[in-house]
Amino acid sequence: MSPGGSGPEQLEEIFEYRFTRLDPVMGDHIDPPSVAVYETLLTKGADGKPRPGLAAAWTVSDDGMSWRLRLRDGARFHSGAICDAHLVVEALELCRWADGLPRQVWYWDPVDSVRAVDDRTVEFRLLFPCARLPVLLWGTHTAIVNPRTWRQLGSEFGAVTADGTGAYRLVEYSADSVIVELAGISTALALAGRPRRIRWRSMPDEAERVASLEEPEVSAVRAVPLSRVTPDDPIWRFDTQAENSQFYLALNFDAGFGDRGLRRALEAFIDREELADEALEGRGDARRSPIPVADEFADSYVDSSDRALSHAEARAELARLGFTPDDDGIAQRDGWRLEFECVTQNTDPFRSLAAVVERQLLRAGVRIHFTFHEPFADFYRAVEAGPPAFLSKWLWPDAMEAVMGFSRSDCIEPGGGNWQHANTPAVDETYDRFLRAEANDARAASALAQRAFMAEMPYLPLCSPTETLAVRRDVLGFGLEPRTLYPSYEQVTFAGGSTGLMMGAT
């Protein structure tokens, strides 16, 4: 218990990856601690509607070209600096340009300018009316940092210290463990019985995560295998839901895969049901679709006119393109063999998926040599080197924005996520229509974009996993939330008072 005996001390959560530094601007990944340390201007409600975040209120002009957001009174960074509109704008510009990119980051595309109207008001001026601007404003990659601290610390920001406005401040960081504690500005949360400290431990090995369920100090465990989920467990509550993410195979257009017919022929040999059964314990989303079943626009796409080719049609297409079997059965054309490297992440799910994809494409006369890289920095550097292919997964609160960012032609790095150097203008046009669609037209615009994606194949979608979270039954107000990256930590309490534990740094 706390020295005064008045409340819980620590929530301890097991995470399936090693941690990257807590930097929304330049960090390699967004991990759960960032959700506790930083705030976004808006938050995403369970109904998909915007809710107050760092901004307490907002208005939209009649023509939809201006959004004004009023900051919460009394907001301060953990360093004690007042969080005013001028610093928020400076922080947003860091996120928008990633501190020096020649093109603004792709999810900022509707925005023309951002300015401080006064000390408490931030205005976004748009290039066109965009009903989906809140997707930008609640995105974790636009979380608000103190830009002055960010510039002062450089690459040490998010490791030595992290200066946000969230309920918790960073105490200790390493790739294996992160500890935060209630910030001085969060007295109300402490009085309400919230955990005074949260510790996350990295545990990439699945067997170790299962074993951690026996550790009395552990409060929650992410990515528990479905085979371990037992609804009547007396100690643990197991949350499961379709994850708003997607595994995909990206083929580098610059490595010979720019031909639409070739991509469609190879896609015909991807058996998504087999992938889900063997690599995802039979509990993944195996639909042939650009976006996962968890997303709000999932049911607006119907696999019809852009159906997959049969194996016979695919082999005929490969023959039309001039490919014939080599002596060992590998398809070749004028000395170019469909045998190539594919980089992916060195984790259990990716290794399982890679083994199945390798076997499936060998049926088409394609031999893939997988190389495995640690997430996330090592893997990203390997992808940026331009290999012929890579197997990856995006995890994003809003699937349409993820698909657009990781496939549209004008989002080739830097400034975007199109590492496969895709060039599909017909798809880009439908994305623009989606961004410009009024709210009541968004579903039709999404359906059009998804059909164009599947017809042109900027990358090959594979399957989407089911996410799991084990939470001790005495931990209240904490669990999986639909179409979000990670749960919020501000509503957590403990049944019966304190955990009685104090772990980690002091």
Side-chain angles (χ1 to χ4, degrees):
M1 297 181 69
S2 64
S6 61
E9 293 295 349
Q10 177 163 293
L11 178 81
E12 181 156 328
E13 182 178 0
I14 304 300
F15 187 51
E16 68 267 37
Y17 293 104
R18 301 194 79 200
F19 297 103
T20 54
R21 61 190 179 93
L22 282 63
D23 183 355
V25 180
M26 297 297 290
D28 288 306
H29 195 252
I30 298 294
D31 300 329
S34 288
V35 178
V37 170
Y38 301 110
E39 291 183 283
T40 51
L41 288 170
L42 301 180
T43 63
K44 186 180 185 181
D47 58 359
K49 305 293 186 184
R51 297 286 185 270
L54 181 55
W58 59 95
T59 59
V60 184
S61 63
D62 291 342
D63 62 2
M65 297 290 284
S66 171
W67 291 58
R68 288 192 173 190
L69 294 94
R70 183 76 176 172
L71 300 182
R72 182 179 67 242
D73 290 340
R76 287 181 178 270
F77 292 105
H78 299 150
S79 60
I82 294 173
C83 178
D84 64 19
H86 303 282
L87 286 179
V88 167
V89 168
E90 194 175 336
L92 289 168
E93 292 291 4
L94 286 177
C95 295
R96 180 184 182 188
W97 299 100
D99 196 37
L101 290 176
R103 179 204 192 281
Q104 66 181 8
V105 178
W106 51 268
Y107 36 84
W108 281 83
D109 279 356
V111 177
D112 180 33
S113 63
V114 189
R115 72 182 184 99
V117 177
D118 54 40
D119 285 348
R120 310 306 304 160
T121 308
V122 176
E123 181 185 42
F124 289 77
R125 293 290 302 173
L126 306 187
L127 294 168
F128 50 84
C130 181
R132 291 187 65 78
L133 188 70
V135 173
L136 167 68
L137 303 182
W138 65 49
T140 51
H141 287 281
T142 45
I144 302 303
V145 304
N146 183 336
R148 308 293 167 80
T149 308
W150 189 91
R151 293 193 185 280
Q152 178 183 354
L153 290 180
S155 62
E156 293 186 332
F157 185 87
V160 172
T161 193
D163 202 2
T165 61
Y168 289 85
R169 66 177 185 87
L170 181 63
V171 172
E172 181 179 297
Y173 165 84
S174 75
D176 297 313
S177 175
V178 178
I179 298 174
V180 302
E181 64 182 24
L182 278 174
I185 56 178
S186 303
T187 304
L189 291 180
L191 293 175
R194 303 296 187 254
R196 297 177 185 275
R197 178 172 290 195
I198 305 174
R199 181 191 185 195
W200 294 267
R201 288 162 53 198
S202 168
M203 205 168 285
D205 184 80
E206 183 179 274
E208 292 183 6
R209 291 198 301 276
V210 172
S212 74
L213 295 171
E214 305 300 324
E215 299 180 25
E217 69 269 23
V218 172
S219 312
V221 183
R222 290 184 54 85
V224 175
L226 289 162
S227 58
R228 177 59 179 83
V229 172
T230 50
D232 57 351
D233 190 295
I235 298 175
W236 294 95
R237 168 175 55 84
F238 294 94
D239 284 1
T240 65
Q241 66 179 13
E243 187 173 80
N244 214 39
S245 68
Q246 187 175 72
F247 291 102
Y248 65 96
L249 177 65
L251 301 170
N252 192 332
F253 279 37
D254 291 345
F257 295 105
D259 188 286
R260 171 178 175 269
L262 176 58
R263 298 193 302 278
R264 294 201 72 204
L266 299 187
E267 190 247 352
F269 291 90
I270 297 295
D271 184 336
R272 294 174 174 83
E273 293 286 350
E274 185 179 46
L275 280 171
D277 286 343
E278 295 195 26
L280 303 179
E281 300 184 80
R283 291 283 300 276
D285 174 18
R287 298 171 311 117
R288 180 177 181 268
S289 170
I291 61 177
V293 70
D295 192 74
E296 61 180 311
F297 296 111
D299 61 358
S300 65
Y301 169 74
V302 179
D303 183 359
S304 54
S305 59
D306 44 280
R307 65 173 181 83
L309 302 178
S310 68
H311 285 189
E313 290 170 329
R315 289 191 174 97
E317 179 66 11
L318 288 172
R320 184 189 70 80
L321 293 171
F323 287 95
T324 58
D326 213 339
D327 293 342
D328 57 357
I330 301 303
Q332 66 84 33
R333 182 181 66 192
D334 299 329
W336 178 37
R337 286 166 53 89
L338 292 182
E339 181 174 11
F340 49 88
E341 177 194 12
C342 181
V343 306
T344 191
Q345 295 180 29
N346 187 27
T347 68
D348 291 337
F350 279 98
R351 283 188 172 275
S352 297
L353 280 168
V356 182
V357 169
E358 180 180 359
R359 185 177 71 234
Q360 290 180 351
L361 288 182
L362 194 57
R363 301 166 188 163
V366 178
R367 179 175 290 144
I368 297 182
H369 299 280
F370 281 97
T371 60
F372 297 90
H373 304 263
E374 294 302 314
F376 289 94
D378 291 350
F379 170 68
Y380 290 156
R381 302 300 89 79
V383 170
E384 289 166 356
F390 63 91
L391 176 63
S392 188
K393 184 184 87 168
W394 57 255
L395 173 62
W396 213 262
D398 301 276
M400 281 299 300
E401 277 70 19
V403 168
M404 288 188 291
F406 290 109
S407 68
R408 65 179 297 153
S409 304
D410 58 358
C411 281
I412 296 173
E413 291 280 11
N418 184 348
W419 286 319
Q420 65 271 19
H421 296 182
N423 185 12
T424 52
V427 180
D428 299 341
E429 182 180 349
T430 65
Y431 292 164
D432 290 338
R433 291 186 188 181
F434 175 75
L435 283 177
R436 295 171 183 268
E438 296 182 5
N440 58 356
D441 295 326
R443 296 186 65 79
S446 172
L448 181 67
Q450 292 184 66
R451 286 197 299 271
F453 178 100
M454 294 305 292
E456 296 290 335
M457 287 293 178
Y459 61 73
L460 278 58
L462 299 176
C463 54
S464 301
T466 296
E467 64 176 323
T468 61
L469 176 67
V471 183
R472 282 194 180 272
R473 292 190 180 275
D474 63 350
V475 177
L476 309 178
F478 186 67
L480 295 178
E481 300 172 11
R483 297 193 292 274
T484 58
L485 290 184
Y486 309 114
S488 169
Y489 296 91
E490 293 188 16
Q491 302 303 316
V492 178
T493 59
F494 291 91
S498 174
T499 62
L501 294 167
M502 281 293 288
M503 307 289 292
T506 59

